[in-house]
Structure formats: C-alpha cells, structure tokens
Amino acid sequence: MQDLPREKLIKYGAFALDNHELIAILLRTGTKNENVLDLSLKVMNLFRHISYIKTLKLEDLMTVKGINEAKATTILAALELGRRIHEKSHNKAKPMTTTEDIYEFLKDEMELLEQEHLIVLTLDIKGSVLKKETVYIGTTTSITVSVKDLFKSAIKFGAYGIVMIHNHPTGDARPSIQDDLLTEKVKKASELLSVELIDHMIIGKFEYYSYKGRNLVKV
C-alpha cells in the first residue's frame, strides 16, 4: 500500500514528496466526495507550472470546490513564508554586485505580477542591501513615480546608491520611451543628491533589461 503524504514525509523527508503531495498536507483533509490527494491535484490545475503558484490569490483557490477559507489561507500563508525565507537567505548569501545577482534576487517576486511594481534596493558601497522597498504599484501598463520618494531611504541610511527595478506585466522587458525618460530624470537627481543610480532594471518573463549594460538578457 502506498504511503499517504504525511507518512511519506515522516519516513523519507519533505524533499521526497511531489508538489501535489505537499499541497495535500497543507489541505489536511479532502471532502466527503473526494480524498485530499484528488483535491490537491485540482489546486495544481490552477496554474501551468509550479513557479506560477506564487501568483495565486484567495479568490483563485476558492474557485476549487472543497477549498474553503481555512484551506486557502493555509496555502497562502505557506507560500508567503517560503517567499520570505528565500528573500532573507538570498539577501544574506552575497551582496548585489551584478545585474544577474539582482535579477536572481527579485525574479520570483516580480516576473509574474499582473501590475507594474517599482522596487528600490538601497545598497552600501559593498553591495549589501540596506533596504528593499516597493515604492509604487501602477496599472497593468504604467506607473507614476515621484523621484524624491526613490531616494528617501538612501538619504536616511547615507547609502552609496540605489538600484531601481520595475516589471513589465506583458513579459517584454524592452524599455519604453517612458522608461528612458524616467531613467534620465532619476540619473540627474542622483547626481544632485550624490547618491549613485547603480542601475535601472526591467524584469519581464524569463528576460530582463539593464540600463547599466544597455542590454536585454534572455534567461
């Protein structure tokens, strides 16, 4: 007889479980009409690839018959905990010294967002992150920025510089005219404030653009 997910985890460790089995443990129970493994497979059917699970919202999960608020919030809490652990461990692992470092740090958070988000990383001279903050959330196609807000933390911490990162929900990371204008505006402000604009990056789906390198990178 095949082990149930909880028994399998106890016997072999969490790494031995398939994705739907891990979800089944979070759900704990099925319904009177289907077992917990069948219910977990229905959750898996909500997204095309496991990386898309982080985009799930409460209302998405509750479209599955048998998923109530308690089950849905348990899954969302587990996802958020995993995201925070990943962010903290990556942050401590090494400083942000290359565009690749920054992309790896933020890709899971940003590449599948449905609205434009603008994040500012405030860095010391060694590339260590002093603060990471979401400065603005825009519409699906545009974002409005007050330049002074981008430098608040850098001035507060006496930082070496900032990296400005935003996503393109379309998945195409190539810069727009508005992106060019924003970069030029922020660059001029950085010179006046003596805070380096280290880079402005745009994250798409499996690609990113760096103003520092003036290149589009497919990953």
Side-chain angles (χ1 to χ4, degrees):
M1 182 177 176
Q2 190 175 16
D3 289 322
L4 292 172
R6 189 171 286 105
E7 286 72 28
K8 188 174 177 181
L9 186 149
I10 292 169
K11 195 179 289 187
Y12 304 111
F15 63 89
L17 275 66
D18 291 333
N19 294 328
H20 76 284
E21 292 176 315
L22 292 169
I23 292 172
I25 288 177
L26 294 172
L27 295 175
R28 297 184 64 190
T29 60
T31 68
K32 64 179 181 179
N33 296 319
E34 58 188 343
N35 63 44
V36 70
L37 285 171
D38 291 335
L39 193 57
S40 69
L41 287 171
K42 286 187 175 181
V43 174
M44 292 287 292
N45 287 334
L46 291 173
F47 45 87
R48 289 177 292 166
H49 185 274
I50 190 62
S51 65
Y52 284 77
I53 193 172
K54 59 182 174 288
T55 67
L56 289 180
K57 300 179 177 65
L58 184 69
E59 52 268 31
D60 298 325
L61 288 164
M62 291 186 66
T63 62
V64 178
K65 189 176 180 180
I67 300 291
N68 56 21
E69 281 191 355
K71 292 181 185 298
T73 52
T74 297
I75 292 173
L76 293 177
L79 291 173
E80 178 60 18
L81 183 61
R83 187 195 67 77
R84 293 183 187 188
I85 292 169
H86 172 76
E87 181 180 302
K88 288 294 184 183
S89 61
H90 193 106
N91 192 358
K92 292 180 179 180
K94 63 177 181 177
M96 304 289 111
T97 57
T98 67
T99 54
E100 291 83 0
D101 292 336
I102 297 164
Y103 174 72
E104 288 297 325
F105 181 47
L106 291 172
K107 67 175 182 178
D108 289 340
E109 178 180 348
M110 297 193 74
E111 67 183 1
L112 301 175
L113 292 171
E114 296 176 354
Q115 290 180 294
E116 283 203 14
H117 287 56
L118 176 63
I119 288 177
V120 172
L121 296 181
T122 301
L123 307 180
D124 66 16
I125 198 167
K126 294 182 179 179
S128 297
V129 179
L130 300 174
K131 188 165 185 179
K132 167 187 167 286
E133 56 190 329
T134 300
V135 180
Y136 284 99
I137 299 175
T139 66
T140 56
T141 57
S142 65
I143 195 164
T144 304
V145 182
S146 172
V147 172
K148 66 180 182 180
D149 290 338
L150 303 177
F151 292 95
K152 280 183 179 178
S153 292
I155 293 169
K156 177 181 177 181
F157 291 111
Y160 168 72
I162 64 169
V163 179
M164 185 168 59
I165 311 101
H166 79 274
N167 65 301
H168 280 176
T170 61
D172 184 350
R174 288 174 295 181
S176 65
I177 293 173
Q178 290 77 14
D179 295 330
D180 292 342
L181 293 172
L182 174 62
T183 304
E184 187 61 30
K185 189 175 181 181
V186 176
K187 181 65 178 175
K188 288 178 180 177
S190 74
E191 292 168 356
L192 290 173
L193 296 168
S194 298
V195 177
E196 187 77 12
L197 176 60
I198 299 166
D199 202 353
H200 177 194
M201 293 178 62
I202 303 167
I203 293 180
K205 288 182 175 65
F206 311 112
E207 64 181 40
Y208 65 90
Y209 182 86
S210 164
Y211 273 90
K212 180 180 180 181
R214 294 284 174 180
N215 61 329
L216 181 71
V217 180
K218 303 280 187 178
V219 292

